[in-house]
Amino acid sequence: MEDIDHSDDLFNLDLDSLFEGGDDLLAPGHHDNSYSLAADLTGVGFGSNNDGGDNNDDAAKFSSLSLPSETPPRLSTSTNNNNDGPPQLIVSKSNGTSIYRSAQKLNAVGIKVIHQNDHLQVADTLSPSNFNLTMNKLVHEETVSKLLPPDVNKRHVIEVSSFNGSPALYFKWENGITCKEWLDKVRIQQQTTHSQKEAAAKFTVRLRAAVAIAKTLTQFHQSRVVYNALTLDNIVLTPFEGDYLATFIDLSDAVICNDEKTFDERKGVDLTNLGIVLNQLFQKADGGGGESSAGRGTGGGLASSRRRVSVNSDTEGEVPSNTRNAKKRGKQQITPGEGLPLYLRAMVSTLLIGDEEHDDSQQLRYESANAVYEDLKVMATPAADGDRRNSYFKETEADHEVIIHSRLKLPKDLFYGRQVQMSMIMHQLQSATMLGDQPLMALIAGYPGTGKSTLVDQIKKPLADKDGLIIEGKFDSSACPDKVLASALDSFFTDINASNAGENAHMSMRWRISDAVGSGVSCLYDSIPSLRTFMDDGTEVDRSEGRKIAGNSLDQRLKYMFCKLISAIPCRSQPLVLVLDDLQWADEMTLGVIRMLMTDPDIRYFLFLGCYRENEVNDSHMLSTSLNDIREQGINIMTIKVGAIEKESTNALISDVMCLPPNLCRPLSNVVHRKTGGIIMFVLRLLASLNDEELIWYSIKSRRWMFDLQKIELKEMSEDVVKHMTEHMGRLPRKMQLGLKLCACLGPSFDATILERARKDAIIGDDFLGSCVDDGFLQTDGGSSYKWSHDQVQQAAYGLIPLQKREKLHLLIGSRLLLSIPPSEMERFIFHVADNINRGAKFLEDLEQKYEVAELNLRAGEKLLQQQSFHSAVNYLMNGITLVGDDSWGAKYSLTLRLYDAASEALCVVGDYQTLTALTEKPLHYARCFEDKLNTYSNLVRALSSSGKCDECINTSVSVLSQLGEFIPTKITQEIYFDEVVKVRQSLIGLSRQDLLSLPVMIDFNKLTAMRFLNHMLLVTYASNPAMNPIVVFRMVRMTVEFGVCSISAIAFSCYGAWLASSLNDDYDVAFTMGRVASDLMKKLGSVEILPRVHAVVYGMINIYKEPWQASLCKHSEAFDAGLMHGDMEYAVSNIAFYHTLALFGCGSNLQESSHSLQKHMQRGLQYNQNGMVKSMAIYEQMTFDLMGLEKNAYDSHYGGLNEDAVLDMTIKNKVAALTRTLNQKIRYVKYMCGDMDAAAKHYDLQQELYANCAGQATNGRTVFFFITTFIDGLIGLYFARKHRDDEAKWTGVAETAIEHMTKWAKSCSWNFANKLSLLQAEYFFLKDDEQAYSCYKASIKQAREHRFNHEEGLAHEKLATYLLHKSNHDEALQHFQDAKKCYETWYAHVLVRRVEKAIAVLSPLCTSSR
């Protein structure tokens, strides 16, 4: 016997185990009738399959009767009486029939011999008439056997003949065991097995046997053969390829139907008998009490109260009255399927009894054996862990709620028809958790109620198996969207704090968060209280720092901090999935965080899953715009469409919910699918409403779910799920409807205590909330918190309230809450109170009530400002302003002023400058004093600046400053300029660096306010009025010296230092001192929020004259991080631009490494919407591509696919002066380095045209780019001067100017400029044919090497080699070309390497060393 692994076949219950004891089963004395084991034919103990197996060894003494492979010989018809025993083994004898079997082990033959009566010997003969009649019956059996296809599991008849004078049927012996004998054996063993595991094994084995039986019957019916004699005796089971085969062995009663109509009339017999067999097969399969009726012969159990149903050839055209076609059959006092699982009980009872509670047209019925076979296969298919089938396949009784109340249980986690979508999500999850090299994003789009959220829920278990983490948030149309992400994170850390995860895992996450966010994490504690507990941080939150950060920077900082916090959570061992549902209602801040996360180059092991309603998101929707921005940055977004489920999935869902086999509920599912369109939520709500209307009910008599299909078909219903649910809820008891109305007004989630206060004395039922949970309307966390199961359920409940009464109901609920909630608890429930009152605020008539509600909105808005939910704060504050009129400036001045101040602050942060500008009119008009107007003025100036209204911003600031005692001229003449210069210089006379640092702290309120407005003007004047900018700087310095220092003083000193270092002064030493004062003062005052601005000026415009450029790189990097931390994105990205300018042009950093770093920082810049600065950095990236020899276009994704020349033309045309200068300087630099001197000269001339306004730039500070281009311009000039053309004087003048500048700068800092000056001098001496050129070249090489300017060392080597060629010193020239090559290789400038290699190839044959 072939070994077959059956993990569920335990305790000798499987057929394989029984076959192993085959010899014993035939041993004398094993049974009461030692050889008669069945009523007809049994193959007990003769092998495990049709091809061979273990046979009875005792049978070997009999003569062998073999079955050849092709034409079998007829068996001898004479009786064999020799001493060796008979040649055939008699197996059974009863009812005039004897069964013989040949004794050989393989290809055994069986003989069915018919006698006149049971008392005849084998040699007895029949009368001629009986003989012919019997022969005809055997021939019929032969005909049936040969009609059925070979692969059908039936008795294979060889021929019909005679045996010892009696009619005989010769057939191929079927090895196996009859169901009856098997169940007899099992019943004996059952007495010693009681465990649940054993019971499950028994059931599984029987289920596999049942599938095999139904399959064989299906095969018969597919050939239009009604078996008509299906009993346990006539079924032989054999193990085969891990399952069982069921062979039907007695074909004598089988009926061949010649047409479909006849077959349809007769097949019911087999289906009823199949029900009998299944009922007998599964009795006591669960190990329950009572004696099984199975195996007691054809008269046992159910069969004893019903004769075996049959239709034979003698009754063709007649169907017995007790078949399934009788309208009222099965009235016996029996319970088919008693003790079986619900699913199986429904199947058996339907096969045997049908639906007694309806007439024939409405019955549940099986129309084919194949339907039964399919339903059994569903039950036999292994279910995954947690699959609901695991329960209802095992449950033998419905629960109390179902029996008593006929209430349909609708699980919340139903998941159907989403295998393709699930595989897509799992692919993303696998990539995020296994590879983790970049953040991944998938969006699930579909209509409401299609199961988007349920689809996402399916990843929780596989994610948990990977020790993964999940953060979940859900937006709501009526809730504060900018609180969703913070609430989701708060819930996440609350769960982490309560979890039993090891302290090591917590500590590791704390370290990651500390490394990523640093001390700035404390700014999130108000928004995420549980984070503070997780970080174990007991320090007091410093909220003053947030007040130092102005306007939109607060919003930017919050986005950055959320991004860094989330990116720090995952690691290789703990991947993270962030799930945000209903993104169509997401706010700009959250969408900004998502964009930052997805473009963050450092985040690993992270997957973002978002769900949204595609019918509510068009191309102009904010979500679409945000997603397009993400895609434009090269991020791939997987979009997964979720639509209606198919009919089969609807059928599977209903089958699961009603514990009915799929084929029995298909008529119902077809109707439900048609009426609901396959929307899962609609399907569930329709089932619930049909259950409530008793169109679906649980029958205690039949112990299964029933339905009235005809009435369901006729039922009219809305095609909109919300309207349908509203109609359904409208049929509920009035008190429950009232409770649903109140809950709908409380928002997407609420506490039970709030509901109690809202209902006051209203009666909503004793267990209203429990009933709502049971009905699937609400969900609970097990405590007092409740939320709607779906926002459309809430919408449906809200629809119960007449439109004209909704606002008044909200007002009633809000007033009840306001009056009943103690002041100590108001902070907790303030949003529930304010939201409801605001909905009905138009009905408020009493002025004092309006003021009270306005104050409520103020408290809500201020709480949201503290939690940094600025967009939501705007809504509450503007509601409060709406309630107070102009009279409130007199009656409630303090309340009104606080409302306007808070609202203007919030509007400034969210960037709604148009609303802010309009809002400022009233406080500027009604405020009682100038001081009360200052907050409004400050927010107004910031709004004007951010809106690009520079002149209006300057004029407003000047007006405010004049009222503060500081008069700033707006038209700057030369006289005014020099007068201001004299005043600022005089104020600093005699003050050392230490004196400036020892100045007292500024305490004068007016002066502090004036410094704030001057700081607002600083950036505006730098961009739009350069002549006015130094005047603003001078005034800030003078005020600091006179009235003391503040944080803005550090900015003033740094800007003053940049002015001192400009071309108008070139006072580098004092400029450097001012830069140090600025840095030290910033540290002394702890004003870290201004670090990006101070570092940008000090290390980008001042220290470059005095300190090694390499030293400034880390400072710019530090300023970049600080800018992100404090929301100063503009200066953060400005610092990184300074960094790359220094690294590439100044320090000669490795081009490949610089290119990678640039790409990363450009991605960062795009994260923070600093597109202008990113476009500048694209110029630097193109420089790396050019010098490395890469055929790439860095402008492609930032300038709409334009090439460099087209970009330059565009910037010139659009008068983008700064970008044009930067691009032209880069082109000039690359052209010169690559040896394209004509192009370099062309772009020098272009620069002179564009540089007409360079005086303003020089006045306001110079960057390292200015030094490098001066150096390169000098080299270009010297090259063309040596051509001795007509323009020699021009180019010589360019070179001499460059040498003059470089000499001055080298005196200030030889480290940065000495090598450049030496090379310019060398080239100048070359022009003049002065022998000093050689020593200057050598000096330049030495200085560049010592000062780590590798790129300029290579250039000096190359220039010296050229000079030596001119002097015909080929050998030394070759050496310097080779040294230049090494330097360029280190720089990774492959284009320059290839150029030098060509020179080496030409020069080598001319050198002495090569001869």
Side-chain angles (χ1 to χ4, degrees):
M1 181 180 67
E2 181 181 353
D3 290 335
I4 301 174
D5 179 20
H6 300 307
S7 59
D8 53 357
D9 293 345
L10 303 177
F11 305 102
N12 294 326
L13 294 180
D14 60 294
L15 299 180
D16 297 4
S17 301
L18 290 174
F19 293 152
E20 290 172 2
D23 295 345
D24 295 334
L25 291 173
L26 287 178
H30 185 76
H31 299 283
D32 293 337
N33 295 321
S34 59
Y35 294 113
S36 181
L37 303 179
D40 192 347
L41 172 66
T42 123
V44 175
F46 289 96
S48 60
N49 54 51
N50 293 337
D51 297 324
D54 295 334
N55 292 327
N56 191 329
D57 292 337
D58 293 335
K61 62 184 179 180
F62 296 106
S63 301
S64 295
L65 293 174
S66 63
L67 180 64
S69 58
E70 295 182 3
T71 305
R74 181 175 303 207
L75 292 176
S76 172
T77 58
S78 62
T79 305
N80 192 335
N81 295 315
N82 59 36
N83 295 330
D84 293 331
Q88 301 86 24
L89 172 67
I90 185 166
V91 177
S92 69
K93 182 181 178 183
S94 64
N95 298 326
T97 302
S98 298
I99 302 296
Y100 297 86
R101 178 191 187 278
S102 60
Q104 75 271 25
K105 294 185 177 182
L106 299 176
N107 299 325
V109 174
I111 312 171
K112 177 179 179 181
V113 182
I114 307 297
H115 309 288
Q116 185 174 8
N117 59 65
D118 194 34
H119 302 287
L120 291 176
Q121 301 297 318
V122 174
D124 292 337
T125 59
L126 300 171
S127 65
S129 60
N130 287 337
F131 184 90
N132 291 334
L133 179 61
T134 303
M135 287 294 290
N136 288 338
K137 290 183 178 181
L138 294 179
V139 169
H140 170 73
E141 191 169 352
E142 178 186 27
T143 301
V144 172
S145 175
K146 293 183 177 180
L147 173 70
L148 294 168
D151 59 342
V152 174
N153 299 314
K154 84 290 186 180
R155 170 178 285 170
H156 292 269
V157 176
I158 300 171
E159 65 176 345
V160 175
S161 184
S162 62
F163 183 81
N164 289 341
S166 295
L169 182 77
Y170 293 79
F171 58 89
K172 181 181 177 182
W173 187 263
E174 298 295 338
N175 294 321
I177 182 170
T178 66
C179 282
K180 179 180 180 297
E181 181 62 21
W182 176 49
L183 290 176
D184 284 341
K185 176 75 172 178
V186 169
R187 187 176 64 256
I188 296 172
Q189 295 172 339
Q190 238 173 347
Q191 299 173 3
T192 61
T193 57
H194 303 287
S195 72
Q196 185 177 0
K197 184 176 181 181
E198 293 168 357
K202 298 171 193 175
F203 183 83
T204 303
V205 172
R206 296 182 191 222
L207 183 58
R208 289 162 59 196
V211 171
I213 294 169
K215 180 180 180 181
T216 301
L217 185 59
T218 298
Q219 292 174 331
F220 270 70
H221 285 189
Q222 287 172 344
S223 299
R224 288 187 182 174
V225 174
V226 176
Y227 183 53
N228 210 25
L230 192 61
T231 65
L232 296 174
D233 310 82
N234 288 335
I235 303 168
V236 173
L237 295 174
T238 309
F240 181 73
E241 295 183 354
D243 275 305
Y244 297 138
L245 296 179
T247 303
F248 295 175
I249 55 176
D250 186 0
L251 304 177
S252 59
D253 289 334
V255 178
I256 301 172
C257 301
N258 296 322
D259 57 73
E260 196 69 35
K261 180 180 179 182
T262 303
F263 174 71
D264 287 340
E265 291 174 348
R266 295 175 178 270
K267 67 182 178 182
V269 178
D270 280 353
L271 294 176
T272 300
N273 287 336
L274 178 59
I276 296 172
V277 168
L278 293 178
N279 191 65
Q280 294 172 331
L281 183 63
F282 285 101
Q283 284 301 315
K284 205 182 174 184
D286 61 347
E291 184 171 337
S292 171
S293 63
R296 294 299 185 185
T298 57
L302 185 65
S304 65
S305 60
R306 302 171 50 127
R307 66 176 178 83
R308 186 182 56 149
V309 181
S310 65
V311 178
N312 55 44
S313 56
D314 297 330
T315 59
E316 186 168 346
E318 250 180 70
V319 181
S321 61
N322 61 341
T323 66
R324 63 187 285 108
N325 294 310
K327 283 190 176 184
K328 296 295 181 181
R329 69 196 192 291
K331 295 293 184 178
Q332 299 87 342
Q333 299 301 312
I334 57 173
T335 306
E338 182 70 33
L340 300 186
L342 298 175
Y343 180 96
L344 194 57
R345 181 192 300 164
M347 179 186 297
V348 172
S349 62
T350 300
L351 287 168
L352 292 176
I353 300 176
D355 183 355
E356 296 182 359
E357 301 184 25
H358 286 82
D359 60 27
D360 195 53
S361 64
Q362 294 297 311
Q363 285 183 12
L364 290 179
R365 69 175 68 224
Y366 275 109
E367 299 296 337
S368 69
N370 187 60
V372 180
Y373 171 56
E374 289 175 348
D375 288 348
L376 284 169
K377 280 200 303 181
V378 170
M379 194 173 189
T381 302
D385 291 342
D387 194 313
R388 187 168 179 265
R389 292 183 304 166
N390 282 326
S391 62
Y392 74 71
F393 282 169
K394 297 175 183 177
E395 293 171 357
T396 57
E397 190 57 82
D399 63 25
H400 179 78
E401 186 74 11
V402 169
I403 294 174
I404 300 301
H405 301 291
S406 189
R407 182 172 299 221
L408 200 61
K409 294 289 186 179
L410 299 175
K412 304 176 181 63
D413 56 350
L414 296 179
F415 181 71
Y416 297 88
R418 303 293 185 218
Q419 286 72 24
V420 173
Q421 292 89 340
M422 189 62 202
S423 65
M424 296 171 70
I425 294 179
M426 290 305 299
H427 173 75
Q428 289 291 84
L429 179 64
Q430 190 76 4
S431 300
T433 55
M434 299 299 293
L435 300 177
D437 54 342
Q438 60 182 348
L440 297 179
M441 184 175 190
L443 295 176
I444 302 172
Y447 278 62
T450 52
K452 301 183 292 295
S453 303
T454 305
L455 179 61
V456 172
D457 288 341
Q458 305 309 304
I459 71 164
K460 291 181 179 178
K461 186 180 184 303
L463 181 64
D465 292 341
K466 299 174 184 292
D467 293 327
L469 305 169
I470 187 167
I471 300 173
E472 297 180 274
K474 181 178 175 64
F475 294 93
D476 189 271
S477 59
S478 60
C480 304
D482 48 359
K483 292 180 61 180
V484 169
L485 186 57
S487 297
L489 285 164
D490 189 48
S491 298
F492 170 77
F493 282 109
T494 298
D495 293 341
I496 290 288
N497 293 333
S499 70
N500 296 322
E503 180 60 26
N504 289 340
H506 286 181
M507 184 62 69
S508 178
M509 190 184 297
R510 286 191 198 103
W511 287 342
R512 294 196 300 272
I513 293 174
S514 295
D515 289 342
V517 187
S519 60
V521 69
S522 62
C523 75
L524 294 174
Y525 289 163
D526 285 329
S527 303
I528 313 171
S530 60
L531 176 61
R532 183 172 189 170
T533 304
F534 177 75
M535 297 301 292
D536 196 21
D537 189 348
T539 60
E540 188 70 24
V541 178
D542 182 12
R543 296 186 178 90
S544 62
E545 184 180 342
R547 290 192 289 270
K548 297 176 184 176
I549 301 174
N552 190 249
S553 294
L554 275 173
D555 194 41
Q556 293 290 348
R557 181 182 73 159
L558 184 62
K559 292 179 188 176
Y560 173 77
M561 296 301 287
F562 274 135
C563 178
K564 297 306 290 183
L565 173 63
I566 294 171
S567 66
I569 293 173
C571 63
R572 185 181 185 86
S573 60
Q574 287 187 303
L576 174 67
V577 177
L578 171 61
V579 178
L580 293 178
D581 199 358
D582 283 326
L583 284 173
Q584 71 276 358
W585 295 319
D587 62 304
E588 188 277 333
M589 189 279 292
T590 307
L591 293 176
V593 173
I594 295 171
R595 183 174 57 80
M596 291 169 67
L597 283 169
M598 299 315 303
T599 55
D600 190 330
D602 295 329
I603 192 170
R604 299 285 186 272
Y605 305 104
F606 174 77
L607 171 63
F608 174 79
L609 286 179
C611 303
Y612 70 94
R613 297 178 181 177
E614 60 179 336
N615 59 311
E616 297 183 23
V617 177
N618 55 29
D619 291 341
S620 61
H621 194 280
M622 183 166 58
L623 176 61
S624 297
T625 303
S626 181
L627 295 177
N628 289 334
D629 290 343
I630 294 174
R631 291 188 181 99
E632 287 175 2
Q633 295 181 41
I635 305 300
N636 181 44
I637 302 176
M638 177 184 285
T639 301
I640 301 170
K641 298 285 188 178
V642 176
I645 58 175
E646 302 294 333
K647 279 186 179 180
E648 282 304 312
S649 298
T650 303
N651 190 53
L653 185 157
I654 295 176
S655 170
D656 287 1
V657 168
M658 299 178 67
C659 296
L660 285 177
N663 279 285
L664 292 184
C665 57
R666 195 176 306 280
L668 173 62
S669 65
N670 288 340
V671 174
V672 170
H673 187 275
R674 185 174 69 251
K675 288 180 176 292
T676 63
I679 303 300
I680 289 182
M681 191 182 74
F682 203 169
V683 171
L684 294 176
R685 299 321 310 171
L686 176 58
L687 291 175
S689 64
L690 293 175
N691 184 210
D692 288 344
E693 296 172 40
E694 297 184 354
L695 297 179
I696 295 177
W697 71 97
Y698 185 79
S699 169
I700 297 178
K701 185 175 183 180
S702 300
R703 297 195 182 180
R704 69 169 186 248
W705 285 99
M706 301 289 194
F707 52 85
D708 192 326
L709 188 63
Q710 185 174 4
K711 290 184 179 179
I712 294 173
E713 281 268 22
L714 296 174
K715 178 179 172 60
E716 294 184 2
M717 54 179 288
S718 170
E719 295 182 358
D720 178 72
V721 62
V722 175
K723 187 176 179 182
H724 169 75
M725 285 191 290
T726 300
E727 293 170 354
H728 171 214
M729 291 175 179
R731 291 188 289 270
L732 296 173
R734 292 181 62 84
K735 59 184 180 179
M736 191 166 186
Q737 290 186 48
L738 176 58
L740 288 171
K741 294 174 184 178
L742 295 174
C743 291
C745 292
L746 295 178
S749 61
F750 55 89
D751 193 272
T753 58
I754 281 290
L755 177 60
E756 284 299 305
R757 290 190 169 101
R759 77 177 183 88
K760 201 175 180 180
D761 299 327
I763 299 175
I764 60 176
D766 295 335
D767 189 26
F768 166 75
L769 290 173
S771 298
C772 287
V773 172
D774 291 340
D775 289 341
F777 298 146
L778 297 176
Q779 296 175 358
T780 178
D781 60 359
S784 62
S785 296
Y786 292 84
K787 66 178 182 179
W788 291 96
S789 59
H790 196 280
D791 61 90
Q792 290 203 312
V793 179
Q794 181 191 2
Q795 188 178 345
Y798 196 66
L800 292 171
I801 310 170
L803 188 63
Q804 68 275 15
K805 295 183 179 180
R806 291 178 183 176
E807 292 172 337
K808 288 186 178 180
L809 179 58
H810 277 292
L811 184 60
L812 174 63
I813 292 173
S815 60
R816 284 181 175 179
L817 296 177
L818 182 62
L819 294 173
S820 63
I821 295 176
S824 60
E825 296 183 23
M826 184 56 73
E827 280 297 302
R828 179 184 173 194
F829 299 116
I830 191 169
F831 299 115
H832 285 294
V833 180
D835 287 342
N836 277 281
I837 295 181
N838 286 339
R839 293 281 186 92
K842 72 177 186 180
F843 295 106
L844 292 174
E845 297 179 357
D846 184 78
L847 200 56
E848 288 300 320
Q849 289 181 344
K850 290 184 179 181
Y851 291 153
E852 187 175 4
V853 175
E855 185 171 3
L856 189 70
N857 277 281
L858 174 62
R859 292 174 61 186
E862 289 178 336
K863 181 176 181 179
L864 288 168
L865 285 176
Q866 183 176 320
Q867 295 176 347
Q868 304 182 81
S869 298
F870 303 108
H871 291 267
S872 297
V874 167
N875 294 332
Y876 287 99
L877 294 168
M878 294 304 290
N879 281 333
I881 289 174
T882 302
L883 288 167
V884 298
D886 292 348
D887 293 340
S888 65
W889 287 100
K892 293 287 183 179
Y893 179 77
S894 177
L895 169 65
T896 309
L897 183 63
R898 285 175 60 199
L899 274 170
Y900 276 90
D901 280 352
S904 63
E905 179 68 29
L907 288 166
C908 187
V909 172
V910 301
D912 188 352
Y913 303 125
Q914 183 176 359
T915 304
L916 171 57
T917 302
L919 188 73
T920 58
E921 294 179 2
K922 288 189 178 179
L924 293 179
H925 177 75
Y926 288 107
R928 293 175 180 175
C929 61
F930 175 69
E931 287 75 13
D932 287 349
K933 299 178 181 180
L934 285 175
N935 281 334
T936 302
Y937 272 128
S938 179
N939 291 320
L940 175 60
V941 166
R942 282 150 54 182
L944 294 171
S945 173
S946 300
S947 302
K949 299 178 180 179
C950 298
D951 291 340
E952 191 175 347
C953 174
I954 292 173
N955 292 334
T956 302
S957 298
V958 169
S959 173
V960 172
L961 285 166
S962 65
Q963 297 182 69
L964 291 169
E966 298 295 331
F967 300 92
I968 306 294
T970 54
K971 295 183 178 180
I972 310 302
T973 63
Q974 191 173 9
E975 182 181 357
I976 291 174
Y977 175 78
F978 283 114
D979 181 57
E980 289 292 331
V981 169
V982 170
K983 289 178 180 178
V984 73
R985 289 186 183 276
Q986 288 178 344
S987 69
L988 292 168
I989 292 176
L991 294 177
S992 65
R993 168 171 160 263
Q994 191 58 45
D995 292 334
L996 293 174
L997 291 173
S998 300
L999 289 171
V1001 175
M1002 187 181 293
I1003 58 175
D1004 187 301
F1005 175 79
N1006 284 354
K1007 299 307 175 186
L1008 284 168
T1009 306
M1011 288 289 282
R1012 209 166 78 224
F1013 279 90
L1014 287 168
N1015 188 39
H1016 291 327
M1017 293 180 64
L1018 203 56
L1019 281 177
V1020 180
T1021 54
Y1022 184 86
S1024 65
N1025 194 341
M1028 192 176 184
N1029 182 259
I1031 307 301
V1032 174
V1033 173
F1034 297 158
R1035 185 61 57 90
M1036 294 167 75
V1037 171
R1038 287 169 51 199
M1039 287 179 62
T1040 297
V1041 172
E1042 186 175 355
F1043 299 103
V1045 296
C1046 62
S1047 60
I1048 298 174
S1049 300
I1051 299 175
F1053 283 126
S1054 65
C1055 293
Y1056 182 61
W1059 175 79
L1060 288 171
S1062 66
S1063 60
L1064 293 178
N1065 304 283
D1066 289 330
D1067 193 348
Y1068 311 128
D1069 291 332
V1070 178
F1072 182 69
T1073 299
M1074 289 298 145
R1076 292 186 63 186
V1077 169
S1079 298
D1080 292 344
L1081 184 59
M1082 176 188 67
K1083 294 175 184 177
K1084 179 181 177 181
L1085 298 175
S1087 303
V1088 291
E1089 74 278 358
I1090 64 171
L1091 185 145
R1093 300 191 178 211
V1094 171
H1095 275 19
V1097 178
V1098 171
Y1099 294 99
M1101 297 181 178
I1102 298 175
N1103 286 17
I1104 51 178
Y1105 292 95
K1106 297 293 291 183
E1107 290 186 340
W1109 289 344
Q1110 293 90 343
S1112 294
L1113 292 175
C1114 63
K1115 295 297 183 179
H1116 286 304
S1117 182
E1118 177 189 354
F1120 173 69
D1121 292 335
L1124 298 181
M1125 191 72 70
H1126 293 90
D1128 195 348
M1129 303 304 172
E1130 181 180 2
Y1131 272 91
V1133 178
S1134 295
N1135 271 282
I1136 216 61
F1138 277 128
Y1139 174 93
H1140 286 292
T1141 304
L1142 266 176
L1144 285 171
F1145 296 97
C1147 304
S1149 299
N1150 181 278
L1151 292 171
Q1152 186 181 47
E1153 295 174 1
S1154 294
S1155 179
H1156 293 161
S1157 179
L1158 264 168
Q1159 292 171 14
K1160 176 180 175 180
H1161 285 125
M1162 289 169 69
Q1163 201 168 1
R1164 289 282 195 202
L1166 291 172
Q1167 275 186 290
Y1168 311 125
N1169 289 324
Q1170 299 300 314
N1171 297 324
M1173 196 60 68
V1174 170
K1175 288 183 176 182
S1176 294
M1177 288 194 285
I1179 297 172
Y1180 305 155
E1181 185 181 28
Q1182 187 62 48
M1183 172 195 155
T1184 66
F1185 292 162
D1186 293 343
L1187 293 178
M1188 288 192 293
L1190 301 178
E1191 296 295 328
K1192 290 184 178 181
N1193 181 9
Y1195 309 109
D1196 191 33
S1197 58
H1198 305 290
Y1199 292 90
L1202 299 178
N1203 60 26
E1204 190 166 73
D1205 291 338
V1207 173
L1208 181 60
D1209 291 342
M1210 181 192 71
T1211 59
I1212 294 173
K1213 179 180 179 180
N1214 295 336
K1215 297 181 180 180
V1216 188
L1219 201 58
T1220 304
R1221 284 198 300 271
T1222 301
L1223 179 55
N1224 191 60
Q1225 288 168 340
K1226 171 265 168 185
I1227 295 173
R1228 199 155 78 251
Y1229 181 87
V1230 171
K1231 295 298 184 184
Y1232 176 79
M1233 295 299 293
C1234 293
D1236 189 350
M1237 304 307 296
D1238 289 335
K1242 171 187 173 184
H1243 283 279
Y1244 171 83
D1245 292 337
L1246 176 61
Q1247 186 66 39
Q1248 300 313 300
E1249 297 176 20
L1250 300 172
Y1251 219 69
N1253 197 31
C1254 72
Q1257 183 209 31
T1259 299
N1260 296 306
R1262 295 176 293 206
T1263 68
V1264 73
F1265 228 152
F1266 181 78
F1267 306 135
I1268 297 301
T1269 52
T1270 300
F1271 173 52
I1272 293 299
D1273 289 347
L1275 293 174
I1276 294 172
L1278 289 164
Y1279 173 85
F1280 282 104
R1282 285 202 303 272
K1283 296 290 184 180
H1284 300 298
R1285 302 184 308 195
D1286 293 340
D1287 55 0
E1288 179 179 351
K1290 165 194 166 183
W1291 291 114
T1292 301
V1294 171
E1296 288 174 345
T1297 300
I1299 292 172
E1300 179 184 353
H1301 284 307
M1302 207 61 66
T1303 301
K1304 181 170 51 178
W1305 297 335
K1307 289 179 181 178
S1308 177
C1309 182
S1310 62
W1311 180 283
N1312 295 331
F1313 303 105
N1315 70 299
K1316 300 172 183 62
L1317 176 59
S1318 295
L1319 188 57
L1320 285 170
Q1321 290 173 337
E1323 289 283 278
Y1324 188 79
F1325 287 137
F1326 185 10
L1327 171 66
K1328 301 300 182 181
D1329 199 19
D1330 190 326
E1331 294 298 326
Q1332 295 182 71
Y1334 182 79
S1335 61
C1336 287
Y1337 282 123
K1338 283 289 189 178
S1340 179
I1341 291 170
K1342 181 174 181 293
Q1343 291 159 347
R1345 183 185 303 117
E1346 291 176 348
H1347 300 162
R1348 303 197 302 275
F1349 298 129
N1350 177 73
H1351 60 315
E1352 291 174 354
E1353 180 189 349
L1355 181 61
H1357 276 298
E1358 189 177 5
K1359 290 301 179 183
L1360 175 54
T1362 304
Y1363 172 77
L1364 291 170
L1365 281 178
H1366 180 74
K1367 296 294 184 179
S1368 300
N1369 189 345
H1370 295 166
D1371 289 335
E1372 190 175 357
L1374 177 62
Q1375 181 60 50
H1376 283 289
F1377 274 128
Q1378 291 171 339
D1379 289 341
K1381 177 186 174 183
K1382 292 177 183 178
C1383 292
Y1384 290 152
E1385 285 175 338
T1386 303
W1387 193 21
Y1388 221 77
H1390 297 312
V1391 170
L1392 307 187
V1393 170
R1394 289 194 289 268
R1395 187 189 70 212
V1396 173
E1397 284 177 339
K1398 291 180 182 179
I1400 292 173
V1402 173
L1403 185 57
S1404 293
L1406 304 177
C1407 296
T1408 305
S1409 58
S1410 64
R1411 296 174 186 172

